[in-house]
Amino acid sequence: MESKFNEQEAREKAQKRVKDIKGFYDHLIVFIVIHLLILAAVLYFNGDLKFFITFTLLGWGIGLFIHALVVFKWNPFTSKDWEQRKLKEFIEEQEKQ
């Protein structure tokens, strides 16, 4: 019974991960399509490119970047390498005491 529960739990976690990644890619596609349409409108109507870049690309781009960080669990400050170094450091400190 324990094994089936672990398999089911692992499958559910994997399904959630796939759903999260798919959600990010959907977000990315919408970002690209919408910004191409906005860029076309700005260029067609001789609009202000600075406004387009500053408010739409940069604003939504920051949100998209944060979405990617969350979905792909990327944190440059606490990587596996960092964890290993900290573990080693704390173990060495304890051995000295």
Side-chain angles (χ1 to χ4, degrees):
M1 187 72 171
E2 178 84 25
S3 177
K4 275 193 170 189
F5 179 73
N6 287 339
E7 287 176 25
Q8 183 178 354
E9 188 177 302
R11 182 171 179 74
E12 288 172 3
K13 283 183 180 180
Q15 286 175 328
K16 184 188 179 322
R17 183 103 169 98
V18 168
K19 184 179 176 184
D20 290 346
I21 292 170
K22 182 184 179 301
F24 169 75
Y25 286 128
D26 289 346
H27 188 181
L28 179 62
I29 290 167
V30 169
F31 175 84
I32 291 168
V33 169
I34 295 296
H35 281 88
L36 287 174
L37 292 172
I38 293 171
L39 179 60
V42 166
L43 294 175
Y44 182 78
F45 293 109
N46 294 322
D48 185 7
L49 273 176
K50 203 187 303 185
F51 178 83
F52 167 72
I53 291 169
T54 303
F55 290 100
T56 63
L57 275 177
L58 190 61
W60 195 348
I62 290 169
L64 185 65
F65 179 72
I66 291 169
H67 190 175
L69 292 179
V70 170
V71 167
F72 296 107
K73 298 176 180 156
W74 183 76
N75 185 340
F77 305 109
T78 57
S79 65
K80 287 288 182 194
D81 184 49
W82 177 86
E83 288 179 24
Q84 293 300 320
R85 286 194 319 265
K86 282 296 176 189
L87 279 171
K88 184 178 177 184
E89 178 183 322
F90 292 144
I91 290 170
E92 288 174 357
E93 282 178 11
Q94 289 177 3
E95 288 174 351
K96 288 179 183 177
Q97 293 177 354

